Every structure is written in C-alpha cells, then in structure tokens.
C-alpha cells in the first residue's frame, strides 16, 4: 500500500522539453488510428457523392449493385433511417450535410447521395463506383467574386460580430495625408490532414459505440445523440489518436452514415473517406475577397481604418470567415470600420480551418500595413509601434497582456532587420532578386469549461481522465507535464487518458483553447486530490479519485481583451526568369502565454508558419465553373509546401504568461499561421517592387506582373 507520504515534491516539468508520451507507439505502429482498430463482423461503407452541382436525385439504382459480391445494403434518401437535423449543438446549428439522405436535394458537387455497405472495403468501393444515380439537374452558380450579387452582411449575434464601426470614415480618409486602398484575394484552401476521416460504429450492450478521428469526443457524441434522438448517456465516442484535423474533424457525414448502417445491419460498420472525398465532405477555407482602406497622417498614425471581407458559403448553411476581425484588436483609428460579408453559392459549406478569419484576414491587413509603411516612407515595424492601441480598439477592454512590440523587437534583432535597405528591387544574386518582409500576428486566447478526473492509484501512479483530443499537437504530453507539476511528481508516474466521451464534457481541440481549457480542469482535479490525500490513510485498490468542473471558475473570469501576439519575418528569393518564389528563411517570435512543452510548442508554431508559406505560394483549390466541381481534388492538383519548399524556420517566444490562468497558458494552436503569408508577400514586394495581392503568388503571376527591375530595364 502506498500512502500519501510517497508524494515527494517534484516540480518543473512544465516548461521543459519532453518528447511525446505516445511517440514510441506512433513510430512503431502500435498506436491505432480510427480506421486501424479491428472489429469482428466489421462491414465497410463507401460513400457515393453527387456529380452534379444543383438539382435533385431522381433515382438510385440499387438493384444491380445489391447483386454484386459482398454487398449488404445501399442507403440513400429513399432507404435511410430518419434523423433529426433540426437542433442547436455546442457550436450552433449543424451543417445539413450531416443530416444525410433525408431528402432528394443536391446543393453542390460532392454531396453524399448514397452509402454502399459490403463485407470488404474493396467490394464496397467497386459497388459504389458502378452505382448509377440519376439526377434532375438545375443551373448552378459557383462564381465567387468581390461584391457579386447575393452578397449580404450577416446579423450580428453573440456568436458572430459581423460588422463594427465608429467615427466618420469618409471624413477621416479625406483628411488623411496618406491613403492605402487595396483589394486582396485568397483562394479556396483545404485542411488536408494526413489521416483521412474515418469512423466505426456499432451497438454494444444497448449503447452506441463510435471509434472516430475527431477534435472532441463529447462534442461528436452530443451531435450524434441529437441527430439520432438518443439519450446522450447511451453514446460513447472514442478518438485515441488523430492524424491532424485543423478544424475539419467535427461531426461529418461518415460518422452519421456509419451509425445508420450499423443500425440497419445490426453489425459494426466503418466508413473511411478517400482523399478526394475530403475535398467536398469535411469543410474547407472559403476563398476571400477583401478590401482594406487605411488613412494616416504623414507620420503613419492611423486616422481611418476600414477592412471589408467577403467569403462564400453554401446554400444550405451560413458559415462566415471572419477575416475582418484582426483589425479590431490590432489597430485603432479615429474612424474604424470592419465587416465580414458572405455570399451563398452552389458549393459545400466552408468551415473553421486553422486560424479561421485571422489567417486570410492577416494576409490582407498586414500587406496593407506594409503598403502604408512604403507610402509613408517609414519602417514597417515603426509604423506598427506608432499605432499600438492602449486598449481594444473596438471592445475598449484592457488587454490581458500585449507583447507584440516585444516580439517585433526580439525578432528584428535576431533576423537582422536593422541592416535592411527599405528600397525594393535592389538586391540581386544571379537570376534571383532578394527581399525581406515582416507582419504582425494575433489570435484570440480563450478558455472554456471542462471536467477532469485524477486518480491516485494504489501502485503510486496517477491516472488523469479527460476527454481532451490530441490531434498530433502533443496535447496528451502537455497535460502529463501539467498534472505532474500539480501533483508534484515525476511525469513518468502520470498516465493521461484522453478522447473518451465517457470521461465527461471538455472543450474541443479548437480555437487554440484545448490545452488551456483542459489544463485548468486537470489542475483543479489534481489540487482537489492533493487535499484528499493530505487527510492521510492508505490508498484503496480502486484508488482515490478527485473530479473537477471549471464552469464556475471560467465563468468568473474578468472581462479583458485576451489575445496572443507575434511577429513574423521572411526572406525570399524571386527567380526573375521563371517567376518562382523561394522562401529562404523565416523567423516567428510569439507572445502566446506560458509555454508548457517547448519541444512540441515549437513544432506547432513552425507547422503554422510552414502552412503560411504554403498559403502564400502554393495552395489553391480550383473550381470549374461549368461543372461546379474541383479541377483536381487530390495531392497532385492541390499543391502545398513539401520538404524542398520549406527552408530554415525558427520559432521562439517572449515571456508572456497569462496572469489569470492557473498555468499561465494562452494557446498556440493557430497563431503560427497568422501573418506568415503576409510576411512572405511583403518580402516578395521588397525583392521585386511589385505587390502581390492575390494568393497564391504563383510563378505565372510573378511573371505576368513583372518585377520592378525588369520594368525599369
Ligand atoms: Mo481550429 S480551426 O479551431 O480546429
């Protein structure tokens, strides 16, 4: 029997580099992802997606397919069980794509119209590919452009601040010595997590059991319970390992279809998405059209600030990409206006994708700041320092901490910014033109209620249970370090079990809020456990367990403007003969709260910055106007930064603990991508003298625009 006297004071795990606790399992293949877990009697579902962009399903010709080897059933709007898609979940109304097969409506190419279930995945796939679906087609419209017909401003609501404004914009613009008025665009971009979406569902002992790959097991369990009108306690969702998500892994058609098929067949059914299916069935980042107007005094002080952003959504669900949000936190002006507009088209509904809003918004805004610096003839960092707000420009709230200038200062020192000649198009190295650029970053720092349980086991170890999700970020390891410090033991004595909805409600891995929210709950439960153990006595065989619920503590947080900040730096080389842009080095310095695990935190930030390079130079999903379909929905046609595209990237941070957080955490999941594309684009301007306001900065665009040097010559 181990007694409380074995609790020796060991702290200092938080802040120390620690490899992933499940790392060995992952590299040896012992870690099982959703599609890897074996089940007896497992059947396999294959999704059939619509090939037309608008219309109705006239018929699904199941008969010939049902005669094929191994085929068990074909589900479609005429044969599928009924579900209830009319509910409000924790993140609002569901995208109707998850209310599968409830009517014959087809709102875009890639809408699920049938599920073929067979004994093997190969049989299911073969049958799905020959299944004939007939449509009554209607004219469609997938043409996204700035200010096009149908664009509207959504209603302001607690969940969405569509528009903000103060002051007389026209008057301030008219009295400004310097004005920037530029339009920017970003293309449709996709999450493309390495692990495709997959779910297995079965009924076991009167409960629905789902093995899934998601960002929140209680979230998905709750949505499935609502869709199938089940008692939430009768649904269990697990998601032990996740190979990337980035906003795409909530409730999606494959989980719903697996549950439907498991119910109809009364046996376990797994549905795995193909890479191609992921381009239409799991959400994406909307293209954006943005206009930024800045009016300033000659010294760069802003008088007028206007950021107008527009994204598309589907005809069945409103999703607003809040690209205009960044300026509400970053820059004040006498007249200040921001608006996020949206236009419904015959396309899938976009969704959250790493730094939703801030990622595309920062490209436009931080490019415009660079244009203003150029016009004013002042250094871009000096310009930002000159416009540092004392409080939230729109909210009026004090910042919990705001160390953006410390990031610029440290970044400038390490990047060698002081030696930079601000004039563009001057540095040549063979056929390459060289340039450097910078941009600011910010992302909200939030926390949400969570519950956790910590058990002191009789063998002297501790078990933490929390329905957290580790998307590959290292969250499980971070929680191990946090629990170890809270219990004052070595991390090796702590076992963190996550991603099981039976552990009770917890925040999803999203909004850069996961680790912070879970850490808070783990801290609270560990503190409670220590109090119980301090009473003394032996630990019984079942251990001693303490539970926490942070709802009250989180709700009691004072009103402040809570954000992380950062400064991005990039050096590029532009090939004047091919138009190719190569990023040579990048540096990001962040003020993002206390860093729990420097090893995985750096990976998170470098990952975000890498994605920023990808966003700046490569990523673009092209949609064909005539068919309404993607031109090349695969990794041959959708290029993203690969090894050779990624140079030396450094990410580091300044001291910036959140004073109101028990650990000091702010959250680092998304800020790494913010501003990164703008830093690259600003460096391309510095290299060539040409502004690129449309992403990605493809070779053909560079050649077409020319370079300052070539034009001059
Ligand atoms: Mo992130 S886009 O909140 O998963």
């Amino acid at each position: 029997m181990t007694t409380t006297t074995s609790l020796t004071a060991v702290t200092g795990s938080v802040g120390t580099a620690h490899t992933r606790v499940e790392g060995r399992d992952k590299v040896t293949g012992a870690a099982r992802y959703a599609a890897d877990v074996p089940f007896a009697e497992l059947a396999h579902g294959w999704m059939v997606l619509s090939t037309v962009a608008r219309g109705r399903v006239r018929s699904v010709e199941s008969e010939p397919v049902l005669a094929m080897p191994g085929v068990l059933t074909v589900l479609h709007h005429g044969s599928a069980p009924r579900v209830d898609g009319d509910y409000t979940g924790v993140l609002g109304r569901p995208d109707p794509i998850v209310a599968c097969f409830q009517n014959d409506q087809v709102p875009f190419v890639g809408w699920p119209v049938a599920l073929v279930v067979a004994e093997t995945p190969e049989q299911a796939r073969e049958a799905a590919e020959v299944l004939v679906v007939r449509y009554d087609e209607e004219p469609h419209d997938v043409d996204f452009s700035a200010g096009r017909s149908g664009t509207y401003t959504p209603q302001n609501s607690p969940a969405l601040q569509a528009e903000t404004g103060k002051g007389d914009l026209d008057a301030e613009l008219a009295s400004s010595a310097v004005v920037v008025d530029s339009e920017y665009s970003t293309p449709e971009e996709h999450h493309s997590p390495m692990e495709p979406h997959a779910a297995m569902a079965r009924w076991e002992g009167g409960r629905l059991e789902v093995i899934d790959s998601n960002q929140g097991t209680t979230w998905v369990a709750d949505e499935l319970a609502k869709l199938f009108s089940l008692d939430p306690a009768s649904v269990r969702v697990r998601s032990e390992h996740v190979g990337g998500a980035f906003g795409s892994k909530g409730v999606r058609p494959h989980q719903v279809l697996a549950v439907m098929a498991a119910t109809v067949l009364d046996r376990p059914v797994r549905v795995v998405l193909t890479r191609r299916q992921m381009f239409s069935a799991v959400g994406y980042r909307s293209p954006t059209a943005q206009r930024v107007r800045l009016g300033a005094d000659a010294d760069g002080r802003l008088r007028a600030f206007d950021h107008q952003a527009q994204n598309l959504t589907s005809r069945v669900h409103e999703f607003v990409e809040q690209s205009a949000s960044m300026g509400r936190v970053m820059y004040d002006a006498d007249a200040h206006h921001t608006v996020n507009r949206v236009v419904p088209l015959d396309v899938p509904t976009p969704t959250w994708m790493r730094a939703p809003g801030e990622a595309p918004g920062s490209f436009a805004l931080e490019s415009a700041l660079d244009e203003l610096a150029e016009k004013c003839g002042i250094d871009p960092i000096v310009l930002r320092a000159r416009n540092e707000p004392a409080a939230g420009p729109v909210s009026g709230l004090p910042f919990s901490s705001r160390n953006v200038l410390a990031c610029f200062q440290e970044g400038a020192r390490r990047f060698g910014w002081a030696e930079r000649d601000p004039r563009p198009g001057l540095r040549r190295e063979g056929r390459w033109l060289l340039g450097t650029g910078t941009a600011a970053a910010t992302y909200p720092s939030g926390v949400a209620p969570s519950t956790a349980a910590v058990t002191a086991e009789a063998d002297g170890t501790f078990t933490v249970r929390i329905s957290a999700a580790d998307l590959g970020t290292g969250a499980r390891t971070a929680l191990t370090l946090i629990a170890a410090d809270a219990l004052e033991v070595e991390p090796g004595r702590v076992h963190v079990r996550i991603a099981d909805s039976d552990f009770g409600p917890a925040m999803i891995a999203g909004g850069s809020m996961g680790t912070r929210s879970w850490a808070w709950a783990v801290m609270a439960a560990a503190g409670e456990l220590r109090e119980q153990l301090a009473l003394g006595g032996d630990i019984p065989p079942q251990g001693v367990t303490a539970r926490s619920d942070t709802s009250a503590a989180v709700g009691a947080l004072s009103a402040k403007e809570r954000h992380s900040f950062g400064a991005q730096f990039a050096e590029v080389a532009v090939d004047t003969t091919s138009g190719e842009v190569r990023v040579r080095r990048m540096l990001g310095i962040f003020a993002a709260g206390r860093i729990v695990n420097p090893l995985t935190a750096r990976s998170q930030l470098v990952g975000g910055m890498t994605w920023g390079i990808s966003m700046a130079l490569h990523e673009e999903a092209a949609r064909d106007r005539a068919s309404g379909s993607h031109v090349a929905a695969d990794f041959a046609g959708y290029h993203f930064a690969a090894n050779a595209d990624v140079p030396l990237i450094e990410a580091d941070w300044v001291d910036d603990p959140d004073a109101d957080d028990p650990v000091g955490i702010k959250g680092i999941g998304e800020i790494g991508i913010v501003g990164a594309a703008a830093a690259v684009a600003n460096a391309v301007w510095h290299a060539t003298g040409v502004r690129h306001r449309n992403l990605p900065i493809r070779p053909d665009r560079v050649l077409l625009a020319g370079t300052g040097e070539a034009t001059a010559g």
Side-chain angles (χ1 to χ4, degrees), residues 83-85 87-90 221-230:
V83 296
D84 179 9
Y87 66 88
T88 301
V90 284
D222 182 65
E223 302 266 332
L224 291 176
K226 288 187 162 80
L227 275 162
F228 288 93
S229 306
L230 299 168

Side-chain angles (χ1 to χ4, degrees), residues 460-516:
T461 64
F462 295 87
T463 306
V464 177
R465 288 179 178 80
I466 183 163
S467 27
D470 189 327
L471 314 181
T473 56
R476 185 189 270 107
T477 310
L479 295 178
T480 303
L481 304 182
I482 283 157
D485 274 8
L487 295 162
E488 300 190 356
V489 299
E490 299 284 354
R493 282 175 65 191
V494 177
H495 303 290
V496 175
R497 295 183 51 192
I498 63 167
D500 181 340
S501 62
D502 275 3
F503 294 161
M507 176 58 186
I508 63 165
S512 298
M513 295 162 71
T515 296
R516 181 178 181 193

Side-chain angles (χ1 to χ4, degrees), residues 141-443:
D141 182 354
V142 298
D143 196 11
F144 178 74
S145 60
R148 59 146 294 157
S149 65
T151 304
Y152 67 92
T153 304
Q155 291 290 315
N156 279 358
S157 72
L160 168 68
Q161 210 176 4
E163 185 162 23
T164 67
K166 69 174 177 185
D168 187 336
L169 203 55
D170 290 337
E172 293 297 339
L173 281 168
S175 60
S176 291
V178 185
V179 171
V180 168
D181 182 351
S182 294
E183 293 186 26
Y184 305 86
S185 73
T186 62
E188 177 179 329
E189 298 159 348
H190 286 260
H191 308 78
S192 302
M194 199 184 301
E195 180 208 14
H197 298 56
M200 185 288 310
R202 67 170 177 174
W203 288 93
E204 186 73 16
R207 294 186 83 199
L208 174 64
E209 183 186 15
V210 178
I211 304 294
D212 187 30
S213 176
N214 65 49
Q215 294 178 234
T217 48
T218 48
W219 175 32
V220 170
D222 182 65
E223 302 266 332
L224 291 176
K226 288 187 162 80
L227 275 162
F228 288 93
S229 306
L230 299 168
D231 174 1
S234 69
V235 181
R236 182 184 192 185
V237 176
R238 282 179 287 168
S239 174
E240 189 177 3
H241 298 291
V242 181
F246 310 114
S248 73
K249 285 183 176 168
V251 65
R252 284 285 152 190
H254 64 293
Q255 298 120 325
V256 179
L257 294 175
V259 175
M260 278 185 180
T263 306
V264 167
L265 296 171
D266 196 22
R267 61 186 277 191
V269 176
R270 176 185 292 153
V271 180
V272 181
L273 264 63
T274 63
R275 181 64 59 188
R276 193 174 285 274
Q277 289 174 337
M278 288 164 67
F279 275 80
S280 59
V282 303
Y284 59 98
R285 193 189 314 279
S286 168
T288 71
Q290 304 180 58
R291 182 182 184 189
V292 180
R293 292 190 294 171
L294 304 173
D297 294 334
D299 68 356
R301 195 190 69 84
L302 285 166
R303 303 177 68 98
F305 180 100
D306 182 28
H307 190 165
Q308 305 174 40
Q310 178 191 326
N311 71 283
L312 59 69
T313 191
S314 68
R315 303 253 188 222
V316 294
H317 190 64
E318 181 188 87
F319 179 83
V320 181
E321 179 80 21
Q322 300 183 53
S323 303
S325 302
M326 187 173 175
R328 298 171 184 171
V329 176
M330 288 307 296
Y331 308 112
D332 206 353
D334 303 311
H336 195 286
H337 176 247
T338 65
V339 63
N340 298 295
R341 299 192 181 99
V342 62
V343 57
L345 297 171
D346 300 306
V347 296
T349 316
T351 192
W352 308 281
M353 187 169 122
R354 202 173 199 173
E358 277 78 0
S362 64
F363 165 65
L365 179 55
E366 293 300 302
S367 294
L369 260 286
D370 208 64
E371 296 192 38
L372 182 64
E374 176 196 351
K375 280 197 170 182
C376 292
I378 62 177
D379 181 84
I381 297 177
V382 173
L383 176 70
R384 287 172 175 86
R386 202 155 282 172
N387 285 289
E388 264 293 275
V394 169
S395 70
L397 293 171
F399 290 101
S400 60
S401 62
R402 184 179 167 105
N403 285 313
V404 63
L405 292 186
C407 294
F408 273 114
Q409 200 167 21
E410 176 63 8
R413 185 184 70 75
R414 286 167 58 165
F415 195 76
W417 190 259
E419 293 91 69
R420 180 183 192 256
D421 183 332
R423 294 172 297 168
L426 292 180
R427 292 145 299 272
R428 184 171 261 279
E429 190 183 285
R431 63 179 203 272
W432 300 92
L433 285 171
L434 308 182
T436 54
T438 189
T442 189
Y443 198 75

